[in-house]
Amino acid sequence: MIKFQGISKVFDSDITKKAFSALTSVDFHLEEGSITGFLGANGAGKTTSLKILMGFIKATSGTVEFSEKLGRSPLEVKKNIGYLPERPFFYPDLKGGEFLQFMGQLNQMPRRELNREIKKWSKRLSIDFALDRKICTYSKGMLQRLGVTSSLLSSPRLLILDEPLSGLDPVGRKDIKDILKDLHVEGITIFFSSHIVQDVEEISSRLIVLEEGRLIYDGSTLDLLENNSQNKYIIDFIDVQDEFIRPFEKLIINTSGRLLQLEVEEAQKDKIVSQSVAHNVQIKQILKKQPTLEEIIYNKQYEL
Amino acid sequence: MNYNFQAIFIIAKFTIWDILRSKVMTNSLILGIALGILTFVGKEFTFGAPLKISLDLGMAMVSISTKGIALFFGIGLISKEIETRTVYMVLSKPIKRYYFILGKTLGLSSILIINTAILSIFCLFFYGINGGVIDEFLLMTIVMTILEAMLLMVLVIFFSLVTNPILAFIYGLGIFFISYGLDPIANSLYVHNNSGLRNILEVIKFIMPNFKLLNFRDYLLYNQSVDYSFRLSCFIYAIGYISFLNIVNSIVFSRKNLD
């Protein structure tokens, strides 16, 4: 659906600042119908990439190609894209409903269809109660809901969302994640950036990760987790006798009150379990040791 | 795909709403009432020229208020949108960039017209009750006041696109005052005797917008006759310069990196 090819972006220097490279030869493509999380720490180049994608700024080198399914001209392509910028700011003296009318009318939506879509999405995003209020009275979460509503009005084929979950309370985050999941099921291509890895892990099947303007991972979320999973287990025991634990003392990683925790290799696991049965030692739980996506991405010890 | 020129009017419409809601028109009403009081008080302190005072005060207030709106709203019209990222929401829609700037300019121009209309009604009312006659040249002066403010507006929009809001304010206001001062300087004896300086001033006068040309208030107040061909040429000059700067602004904005 989109090919982002060899994109580099250097912000020019002036009297007050040095030139700096925001993106270096970044390549990725978005497949139709995919839901892709765009990850990276602050300043990694996510927003710059999205601005280049939307044509707000020009890349120093490289090209962005859109599939013909989105349209043949830049205006046709935009008609099929729903976009939400990072920390959106709206016209403070307009009412929420007026703003949505504004966005829908720019999308050349027929009035009746626009009213229907505003009603549908504002209700779904729980912002319908505030559409008659001036935007300057909205909270941060309400602004985010309004922004997401406006990006969905024209039934886009591609959604590009820059930090759509920031500023939302847990209920709001869940609402938007559910909507994204539903849209994905309907076949909408979704590309969203976030620095909250848990949210991305929860809903995206594919990941693109940037670090200091360079692409460090582009692939399946599941593959990344699988490739970094370890054949180690954590076994929690309760009320362990000394003679039982003596042979495994080196494996203890935690003791707390009646609880004792061992980290064991897969090969040792069965042996320890059978011995605990023989010694009548109670096992509370056995967990496979699995790094979280956050640990994989932000801890250098894992392989991307 | 058809060009969605309607978008220009949609953007203009919502720009008008946004500015109207910011209560700028309250300012016009307050100024209108102040004008009434000033006219009344001013009349008491003048001997034999209450009509002239009434018209002078009224036209000055219309002019200052409209230019103030042009200057202060013009600076932020585009630069504020970029700074606050509202521009991203609008430009992500299927519109050309120049639709956006033309729509915003049209919206603010409408506000200038509304503001001038409100204050002019007050002005003409107080002028009328003092026995003044509203003629076609008076109305033409009001129209030229609007065009003068529009020219100032597109000029500061241009500077706000290529510099920053503070410099745009300084440059816009600077050029406005310089354009009023150019004629007296050009007619001074020193410049008259210095052909090099005279040529430089001629080039500057040709390039710079001539706001003085659009100011008919002195002709009006001193009952000087202005022939139709001069009025028409001033009108065409204003429209031409405003259109030219709109085209320049559209080109600059279309190529601008919105980072």
Side-chain angles (χ1 to χ4, degrees), chain A residues 9 11 51 54-58 75-76 78-79 83 85-87 89-91 93-95 98-99 102-103 105-108 134 150, chain B residues 1 4 7 10-11 13-14 17-18 21-22 81 84-86 88-97 100 104 255-259:
Chain A
K9 176 69 185 173
F11 286 101
K51 283 182 184 172
M54 293 302 296
F56 300 144
I57 56 174
K58 287 189 179 77
L75 291 190
E76 261 183 19
K78 278 188 177 178
K79 204 170 181 182
Y83 171 73
E86 184 189 16
R87 285 176 278 129
F89 184 90
F90 308 95
Y91 300 95
D93 291 307
L94 287 185
K95 293 175 182 174
E98 287 169 350
F99 177 75
F102 183 23
M103 294 293 110
Q105 286 177 28
L106 288 180
N107 252 322
Q108 297 165 278
K134 272 192 181 184
S150 84
Chain B
M1 185 182 176
N4 178 18
I10 295 168
I11 292 166
K13 181 175 82 179
F14 284 96
W17 282 11
D18 192 40
R21 292 263 174 74
S22 69
E81 297 257 357
T84 58
R85 294 182 297 279
T86 40
Y88 297 147
M89 299 290 290
V90 179
L91 294 183
S92 68
K93 303 298 170 194
I95 61 163
K96 296 264 184 193
R97 281 200 189 183
F100 178 73
K104 296 295 287 183
R255 294 168 180 219
K256 192 174 171 63
N257 260 336
L258 302 173
D259 45 21

Side-chain angles (χ1 to χ4, degrees), chain A residues 154-262:
Chain A
S154 59
S155 308
R157 299 177 71 151
L158 169 65
L159 260 183
I160 298 175
L161 310 170
D162 197 354
E163 303 279 357
L165 303 165
S166 74
L168 292 166
D169 56 25
V171 178
R173 277 166 62 181
K174 187 186 177 304
D175 285 349
I176 289 179
K177 280 189 277 188
D178 288 346
I179 287 169
L180 294 182
K181 284 179 198 165
D182 292 348
L183 290 169
H184 174 52
V185 171
E186 288 170 28
I188 311 293
T189 310
I190 300 166
F191 185 43
F192 74 102
S193 78
S194 180
H195 59 268
I196 307 167
V197 185
Q198 279 168 318
D199 292 329
V200 177
E201 184 178 1
E202 195 181 325
I203 54 177
S204 60
S205 54
R206 198 159 155 253
L207 278 180
I208 292 169
V209 186
L210 290 185
E211 188 181 80
E212 293 176 358
R214 291 173 193 276
L215 184 79
I216 56 168
Y217 183 76
D218 176 6
S220 147
T221 311
L222 214 59
D223 286 350
L224 186 60
L225 288 168
E226 290 277 318
N227 294 342
N228 285 284
S229 69
Q230 300 166 338
N231 285 330
K232 285 188 175 175
Y233 289 82
I234 307 289
I235 308 176
D236 291 354
F237 297 99
I238 292 175
D239 296 333
V240 179
Q241 301 134 0
D242 285 347
E243 65 266 28
F244 166 75
I245 203 65
R246 207 159 291 130
F248 312 117
E249 263 175 351
K250 284 183 181 170
L251 302 174
I252 298 172
I253 56 167
N254 188 20
T255 53
S256 169
R258 294 165 60 203
L259 188 82
L260 184 130
Q261 212 168 40
L262 298 187

Side-chain angles (χ1 to χ4, degrees), chain A residues 49 152 225:
Chain A
S49 301
L152 292 169
L225 288 168

Side-chain angles (χ1 to χ4, degrees), chain B residues 145-157:
Chain B
T145 303
I146 296 172
L147 290 177
E148 194 185 358
M150 280 184 186
L151 184 55
L152 181 62
M153 172 191 72
V154 288
L155 186 70
V156 293
I157 291 173

